[in-house]
Amino acid sequence: MKGIGVSPGIAMGKVCILEKKEITLTGAIIGAADADGEIGKLDDALKAAVQEIEGLKSRRDNALNEDESAILDAHIELLRDPILYDGIAKKIKNELNNCQDAVIKVIESTRQIFLNMDDEYFRSRAADIRDIGDRLLKQLVKSSSVNISKLDENVIVVAHDLTPSDTIAMDRQHVIGFVTELGSKTSHAAIIAKIREIPAVVGCSALGSVKNGQMLIIDGSTGEVILNPDNKTLSEYKARQEDFMKKCTRLKLLKDLPAETADGHRVTLAGNISEPGEIDRIVQCGGKGVGLLRTEFLYMDRDCFPGEEAQFEFYKAAALKAGTNPVIIRTLDIGGDKNLGYFNLPAEANPFLGYRAIRICLDRKDIFITQLKAILRAGVFGKLKIMFPMISGIQELREAKKVLEAAKAGLEKDNTEFDRNIEAGIMIEIPSAAVTADILAKEADFFSIGTNDLCQYTLAVDRMNEKITGLYDHFHPGVLRLIENVIIQAHKNGKHVGMCGEMASDPLAALLLLGMGLDEFSMSAPSIPYIKDVIIRNSMQKAREVYSRVMEMESSTQIIEYLQVVSK
Amino acid sequence: MICKEYTVLSAEGLHARPATTLLNVVKKFKSDILLKKGDMEVVAKSMLGILTLAAKCGDKVSVTIEGEDEIEAAKAIEHLFLEELKNQ
């Protein structure tokens, strides 16, 4: 059986099925005189439900962490919510529904409001509404279900679906993993499994044949679920489990170690993020600073351009959270492929070769200067750097810097505080920029190589095109020579080079990039430990050897084979 | 009546934890407190209300306070938006 692995690791144990009886509408109509009685039932049920949650929170044998407590606090507030109460009471008094039906209807319509929201985070709050609804109904309709908060032996919980409360209430000591039929990577159950570091698989249909007490193996990385495994399979997975635990321990140890090779060469490992909150994750994963702060989300899901103040607060939050570590902010990098309701971007035949990113900013200097002013002002609170995307040549860089100077002059005139010495660098993602890196290195404060687009443009491959996706290859000698040139030219001019494209998170490429002299690897936080591991286990001397050998090779097949051998 | 506009500073907007913090502050006061984002207006003393506002980091929210303790309420709410939400 197969599902979606949402929390890595392997669990092997006995099945414990969480059976839930769906409580449905009765369709009954009450007499008007009974309305008060039904509201009395509502009051009692609400009180009992809140008490139940408070009991959960204060259990000492199943102590909750901060996030779980916060979720339960929010649930208590929802149960006490006046709007919810009024809605249910109205259905009882005006439509003469009994309490159970009134609750079911109001919970469902409230859920729908959340399900219809644009923002994914708020959409998933619908699960919280369902959760408190279920808890309330359980008080009204006493039905028995398996109690997974107190178990006697280690089990793997199997369920159709798990609400936030289910996962929070689970006996921490004895639940060693779980698998559900519904769910996705972002559902509550998945998030909590990751926090608790127990293997979990969701979206696994065909769990109907599973029975209590049967032996189950789940692999939270691959999503595999094996029922009644034979001895051979059992020992194979036991070995995999041990491997995984060893790896986890090692990666945890890496968190506080510097990204330094065996012979003392240091590089920076930073994170790619879309909002300030994600900086915590970078620190947790052992990274330092932000190599790419995307700003597109400030412009999406709204009905007008973000003003200077809103942007300023956003950048300021990032600066403060990062402390003494730098945050590289990429200016607006959007194009015709994204639909901004308020900004009429023309539909283009080739949006990736079209009116986007810096081209829009240089054409609409009003939008550009607003963003730059906000960054300049926020720069006072930390170590911010500006990065211009999609620069194709020196003229564009010069024009962008002129707008930056105008932004500074404007703030100067208004006597507003800003970072006068803020660094301004560029993304290298267009081949013409990579080839003329020598010219650009004289006037850019730093480079950051955007390998995703650099590969696409250099190899003339659209990553999203399924037919040719195999041609997208960051080990192609053509791409490697461009990267090499960028690093050489930057260093010739005393400038720092980072990489924020996906290649930076590929452990197979790490030794090569290290040998080439890359100063900074920036990636999504969870990948950081894997790259740090490669760096710490190797020497700069070896990295340089790998680099010179690779640059003599003719094809990426040859290169990949070689790298796989040296990476062992 | 006191009316003031704030920018949401918490990294993930007004979601579970900040919403609970906000709720705990407004519940202390007798005044009627409304929150407005764009066209949507909600009652601040309701968790459901705050969540349906779906306010994200950087969004502008205007707060309207009316009642006998509106001045203290305004002070507490100002502190919340400008200081407390920054750390969440």
Side-chain angles (χ1 to χ4, degrees):
Chain A
M1 290 181 278
K2 194 129 196 275
I4 309 171
V6 295
S7 177
I10 296 187
M12 312 191 326
K14 287 219 186 102
V15 169
C16 175
I17 299 183
L18 183 63
E19 200 94 62
K20 276 216 183 138
K21 255 226 185 91
E22 175 102 27
I23 299 177
T24 50
L25 292 168
T26 63
I29 300 290
I30 60 173
D34 297 325
D36 284 336
E38 292 299 300
I39 296 201
K41 277 192 201 156
L42 176 63
D43 290 330
D44 290 339
L46 284 169
K47 228 195 247 155
V50 170
Q51 257 172 5
E52 191 179 59
I53 298 181
E54 286 182 337
L56 252 181
K57 278 182 66 188
S58 58
R59 271 181 66 171
R60 234 161 287 139
D61 57 335
N62 221 8
L64 307 178
N65 67 34
E66 246 185 84
D67 289 308
E68 293 169 327
S69 272
I71 292 173
L72 292 183
D73 280 334
H75 283 194
I76 291 177
E77 293 307 329
L78 282 169
L79 285 167
R80 292 193 178 137
D81 195 282
I83 296 179
L84 198 68
Y85 186 88
D86 284 344
I88 302 173
K90 269 209 189 87
K91 278 241 175 328
I92 294 176
K93 284 210 200 103
N94 302 351
E95 293 173 40
L96 299 178
N97 285 149
N98 62 21
C99 190
Q100 175 178 337
D101 288 1
V103 168
I104 294 176
K105 286 185 189 174
V106 171
I107 290 290
E108 185 51 31
S109 58
T110 310
R111 261 191 80 230
Q112 287 306 322
I113 295 177
F114 284 93
L115 286 175
N116 286 325
M117 289 188 181
D118 288 327
D119 189 276
E120 225 232 283
Y121 178 86
F122 286 100
R123 230 183 0 248
S124 47
R125 295 305 100 229
D128 290 298
I129 304 296
R130 147 91 61 75
D131 199 323
I132 58 146
D134 285 348
R135 196 182 286 280
L136 201 46
L137 286 170
K138 227 176 64 183
Q139 293 298 331
L140 290 170
V141 182
K142 302 283 182 192
S143 62
S144 63
S145 60
V146 175
N147 183 2
I148 53 171
S149 57
K150 260 201 168 74
L151 296 159
D152 298 316
E153 47 174 3
N154 288 353
V155 297
I156 295 182
V157 169
V158 175
H160 174 67
D161 196 7
L162 286 171
T163 62
S165 303
D166 290 329
T167 38
I168 292 174
M170 269 196 236
D171 181 335
R172 249 146 263 253
Q173 275 189 330
H174 293 121
V175 176
I176 57 170
F178 58 79
V179 50
T180 62
E181 286 182 330
L182 299 185
S184 70
K185 264 194 149 69
T186 54
S187 51
H188 251 132
I191 296 173
I192 291 184
K194 274 209 290 250
I195 293 176
R196 299 249 198 105
E197 293 178 5
I198 58 172
V201 174
V202 304
C204 181
S205 46
L207 288 178
S209 53
V210 175
K211 294 196 179 42
N212 269 323
Q214 287 180 316
M215 190 62 179
L216 196 68
I217 297 181
I218 64 171
D219 184 335
S221 318
T222 60
E224 282 167 305
V225 175
I226 304 173
L227 187 58
N228 292 328
D230 57 26
N231 284 331
K232 183 160 159 265
T233 314
L234 272 171
S235 39
E236 185 194 318
Y237 273 85
K238 188 117 218 310
R240 275 206 222 175
Q241 189 183 46
E242 275 166 18
D243 261 349
F244 179 79
M245 304 294 283
K246 261 194 228 146
K247 220 164 134 206
C248 272
T249 318
R250 172 153 178 81
L251 292 177
K252 274 211 189 95
L253 283 171
L254 292 175
K255 175 182 176 268
D256 294 315
L257 296 178
E260 191 176 295
T261 62
D263 49 2
H265 179 90
R266 266 200 203 194
V267 294
T268 305
L269 296 183
N272 293 347
I273 62 175
S274 303
E275 53 170 11
E278 293 173 64
I279 293 178
D280 290 331
R281 198 77 166 93
I282 300 177
V283 174
Q284 272 166 26
C285 293
K288 268 205 155 88
V290 176
L292 166 64
L293 171 55
R294 304 178 187 96
T295 58
E296 290 67 72
F297 296 98
L298 280 169
Y299 295 81
M300 295 180 3
D301 283 337
R302 18 176 341 122
D303 45 21
C304 64
F305 281 104
E308 190 183 308
E309 283 317 301
Q311 291 198 52
F312 165 64
E313 295 294 345
F314 185 85
Y315 305 135
K316 179 179 168 193
L320 289 170
K321 245 194 188 295
T324 52
N325 290 316
V327 177
I328 299 180
I329 302 179
R330 182 179 67 187
T331 58
L332 182 58
D333 188 7
I334 220 160
D337 52 307
K338 291 241 161 53
N339 207 341
L340 296 184
Y342 55 89
F343 189 20
N344 276 326
L345 290 170
E348 300 169 308
N350 278 315
F352 291 97
L353 298 180
Y355 185 66
R356 62 186 301 116
I358 197 73
R359 298 164 185 188
I360 293 179
C361 289
L362 294 177
D363 184 45
R364 289 289 305 270
K365 298 204 164 96
D366 52 330
I367 305 173
F368 197 26
I369 214 174
T370 302
Q371 181 169 43
L372 292 174
K373 278 188 174 174
I375 299 173
L376 283 163
R377 286 171 55 197
V380 173
F381 298 93
K383 212 164 166 221
L384 299 181
K385 300 187 186 188
I386 299 175
M387 178 164 73
F388 304 121
M390 231 198 163
I391 295 283
S392 61
I394 195 70
Q395 261 151 254
E396 259 168 359
L397 174 57
R398 285 177 182 157
E399 224 189 308
K401 283 172 91 171
K402 269 205 203 109
V403 183
L404 181 58
E405 289 311 307
K408 287 183 183 173
L411 292 173
E412 186 81 65
K413 197 156 147 254
D414 293 333
N415 251 322
T416 315
E417 256 199 284
F418 65 94
D419 181 359
R420 285 179 166 69
N421 302 314
I422 202 165
E423 277 184 40
I426 64 174
M427 272 196 73
I428 303 272
E429 44 190 345
I430 297 186
S432 60
V435 172
T436 55
D438 54 326
I439 302 174
L440 289 162
K442 293 185 172 41
E443 297 179 31
D445 289 332
F446 62 85
F447 288 155
S448 185
I449 307 175
T451 54
N452 301 10
D453 280 340
L454 184 63
C455 279
Q456 294 200 109
Y457 293 130
T458 303
L459 301 169
V461 171
D462 175 357
R463 270 184 112 167
M464 301 305 169
N465 186 333
E466 281 156 14
K467 261 194 170 246
I468 50 165
T469 193
L471 293 176
Y472 176 96
D473 178 7
H474 53 232
F475 289 114
H476 190 296
V479 173
L480 295 180
R481 287 181 190 185
L482 286 180
I483 294 175
E484 176 187 37
N485 185 53
V486 171
I487 298 177
I488 290 175
Q489 296 307 330
H491 288 169
K492 255 202 192 138
N493 288 274
K495 305 286 168 76
H496 179 277
V497 194
M499 180 180 283
C500 56
E502 244 177 64
M503 189 179 180
S505 67
D506 182 357
L508 200 59
L511 260 185
L512 171 61
L513 294 172
L514 194 62
M516 278 187 179
L518 189 66
D519 301 306
E520 176 177 291
F521 297 65
S522 193
M523 63 202 78
S524 95
S527 301
I528 292 173
Y530 296 93
I531 303 299
K532 197 187 268 191
D533 190 42
V534 173
I535 294 171
I536 290 181
R537 277 189 295 115
N538 288 285
S539 65
M540 195 54 186
Q541 183 183 17
K542 177 169 176 197
R544 290 200 184 104
E545 269 166 41
V546 168
Y547 162 44
S548 42
R549 292 285 303 277
V550 165
M551 297 318 279
E552 289 166 0
M553 295 180 183
E554 298 177 342
S555 73
S556 69
T557 319
Q558 203 186 352
I559 293 172
I560 292 174
E561 259 172 40
Y562 169 71
L563 289 173
Q564 277 168 344
V565 168
V566 289
S567 297
K568 284 236 158 66
Chain B
M1 177 163 97
I2 303 182
C3 187
K4 212 167 173 204
E5 198 179 61
Y6 297 102
T7 307
V8 176
L9 296 182
S10 46
E12 283 153 40
L14 286 184
H15 73 122
R17 207 183 320 199
T20 311
T21 310
L22 173 59
L23 193 64
N24 287 331
V25 168
V26 299
K27 270 190 175 178
K28 289 193 214 147
F29 302 100
K30 297 211 185 86
S31 305
D32 288 325
I33 305 176
L34 296 172
L35 302 173
K36 196 165 181 200
K37 181 189 105 173
D39 282 331
M40 200 189 290
E41 193 167 52
V42 300
V43 168
K45 289 184 188 168
S46 153
M47 173 60 93
L48 214 54
I50 297 174
L51 288 179
T52 42
L53 201 61
K56 297 190 287 187
C57 183
D59 277 346
K60 277 202 159 55
V61 170
S62 74
V63 183
T64 310
I65 313 165
E66 182 153 18
E68 53 186 72
D69 50 10
E70 59 186 44
I71 299 183
E72 292 96 354
K75 262 206 211 123
I77 291 173
E78 170 129 336
H79 185 263
L80 175 110
F81 272 100
L82 295 183
E83 296 302 325
E84 285 173 57
L85 287 191
K86 252 198 312 203
N87 303 325
Q88 295 202 5

